[in-house]
Amino acid sequence: MNRIFSGVQPTGNLHLGNYLGAIRNWVRLQDAYECIFCIVDMHAITLWQDPKELTRNIREVTAGMIAAGVDPAKHIVFNQSMVPAHAQLAWIFNCVARMGWLNRMTQFKDKAGKHKENASVGLFAYPNLMSADILTYKATHVPVGEDQKQHLELARDTAQKFNNDFGVEFFPLPEPIIPPEAARIMSLRDGSKKMSKSDESDYSRINMTDDADTIALKIRKAKTDLEPLPGAMEGLEGRPEASNLLGIYAALSGKEKAQVVTQFEGQQFSDFKKELVDLAVSVLGPINTEMKRLMTDTAHIDAVLRSGAERADAIAAPIIKDVYDIVGFLRP
């Protein structure tokens, strides 16, 4: 069976965009692949994290994944820092990847902005750690959104260069898994901006920890325009908020967006929002309840992560041993 590796940062406030854009897709892939799901806490500290918050967030993200349907008994769920091979292979890849490759990474430019001289070395070099995450397990496939394609291309380039440099056919070139219509969920306050936990307004997003009343309130307050809903996709041009809300309904219901546009043709937003509230609560409510239950049992979450790390290490340790032999490291 082909092997998937995928990771999520433990930065707290898992929201609807995380669920629809990543976690739900992981659940769907579980029957077709051997899956390794990682909470990438080493990536998280490329920007400063409060240590106590980081610990809590690792557990919360794990709870959210399990509540959404990721099966930690059938597949591997763990946090990255518990498996040494990630850091070990990342250093080797620091010596394989080229500066020019990293200079082209758009996410570093976005995160560092005008202050790149003050950014951490980790923020600049973390794509090499991402490559190591994937190749430590010789993963054959990686689920990616549009904004992650560049990082997977870097992993492929690095694997190819390692193989060429040492005259081996050791690392596979992982293939992307791109959902047919990846759910790109935008802010409830500004349909031109991606839904984000960093947005100052909590009303910009639906968190996976929100209860039914909070979800309903946020959807009712979501920004709209004055026109009724259109009957064709072309009618969404220049209407980002309408497009976003219809897209959320489509993603939650499993329908094509065009179907949803036809379904609600001519309706006022007030009526449509009632339907969206009912749907969102029916999908997210059970996840919210289970997530809260899991967060009261941190011993169980820690046991899941510990078991997952042991299983992950059992795969990674022999691979890193082979890499060390290929590179020529002596271990008497």
Side-chain angles (χ1 to χ4, degrees), residues 64-77:
M65 290 166 57
I66 297 170
V70 170
D71 184 349
K74 185 177 180 182
H75 300 283
I76 294 175
V77 177

Side-chain angles (χ1 to χ4, degrees), residues 15-302:
H15 55 69
L16 184 64
N18 302 132
Y19 171 67
L20 293 174
I23 296 174
R24 186 179 64 168
N25 293 329
W26 294 356
V27 174
R28 293 172 174 173
L29 293 168
Q30 289 182 115
D31 292 334
Y33 295 87
E34 175 193 355
C35 298
I36 299 174
F37 299 126
C38 183
I39 296 89
V40 289
D41 48 2
M42 293 166 67
H43 285 294
I45 65 167
T46 56
L47 299 174
W48 192 86
Q49 305 290 327
D50 178 275
K52 290 182 180 178
E53 282 295 306
L54 179 58
T55 298
R56 185 188 185 284
N57 289 341
I58 292 167
R59 289 178 174 137
E60 183 180 286
V61 169
T62 305
M65 290 166 57
I66 297 170
V70 170
D71 184 349
K74 185 177 180 182
H75 300 283
I76 294 175
V77 177
F78 72 107
N79 57 304
Q80 182 186 28
S81 62
M82 292 183 70
V83 178
H86 291 257
Q88 292 171 300
L89 187 56
W91 177 253
I92 291 172
F93 285 170
N94 282 343
C95 303
V96 172
R98 303 292 91 179
M99 287 285 290
W101 300 357
L102 295 180
N103 278 324
R104 291 194 289 271
M105 293 289 111
T106 56
Q107 284 203 1
F108 173 75
K109 297 172 186 175
D110 292 343
K111 289 186 177 182
K114 297 178 181 178
H115 308 290
K116 63 180 182 179
E117 295 299 324
N118 291 325
S120 72
V121 174
L123 185 62
F124 180 74
Y126 90 93
N128 289 337
L129 176 57
M130 190 176 291
S131 298
D133 295 337
I134 298 164
L135 295 169
T136 288
Y137 303 97
K138 292 189 175 181
T140 58
H141 292 79
V142 182
V144 292
E146 287 296 322
D147 58 345
Q148 293 295 324
K149 278 185 178 179
Q150 193 182 35
H151 290 105
L152 184 58
E153 289 167 5
L154 178 72
R156 290 169 57 88
D157 290 343
T158 303
Q160 185 67 66
K161 189 172 188 306
F162 180 94
N163 291 343
N164 291 342
D165 285 353
F166 294 100
V168 294
E169 289 297 326
F170 185 75
F171 286 119
L173 304 187
E175 297 289 339
I177 297 177
I178 302 172
E181 187 178 347
R184 185 172 172 82
I185 306 302
M186 313 304 281
S187 165
L188 299 180
R189 309 301 290 169
D190 181 350
S192 65
K193 290 169 53 180
K194 196 172 180 181
M195 186 176 286
S196 170
K197 69 118 190 152
S198 62
D199 196 306
E200 290 183 7
S201 173
D202 195 54
Y203 285 96
S204 68
R205 59 187 169 270
I206 295 173
N207 301 309
M208 287 177 67
T209 51
D210 288 341
D211 59 23
D213 289 340
T214 304
I215 291 171
L217 179 62
K218 288 181 176 181
I219 290 175
R220 285 199 300 269
K221 285 182 171 289
K223 185 179 178 182
T224 55
D225 55 47
L226 298 176
E227 300 296 320
L229 292 167
M233 292 291 287
E234 295 77 17
L236 293 175
E237 291 181 14
R239 301 180 66 184
E241 285 76 28
S243 179
N244 184 41
L245 292 178
L246 286 164
I248 289 172
Y249 189 99
L252 287 171
S253 63
K255 296 180 179 178
E256 295 290 332
K257 192 171 180 179
Q259 288 179 275
V260 176
V261 170
T262 302
Q263 179 181 344
F264 292 102
E265 178 180 2
Q267 285 200 21
Q268 298 298 320
F269 275 105
S270 56
D271 295 326
F272 168 69
K273 282 182 174 181
K274 292 176 185 176
E275 299 281 345
L276 181 55
V277 165
D278 290 343
L279 176 61
V281 169
S282 71
V283 173
L284 299 176
I287 296 174
N288 168 268
T289 300
E290 178 63 5
M291 214 173 150
K292 286 180 176 176
R293 186 192 70 79
L294 288 167
M295 283 301 289
T296 65
D297 188 0
T298 57
H300 173 69
I301 293 176
D302 291 357

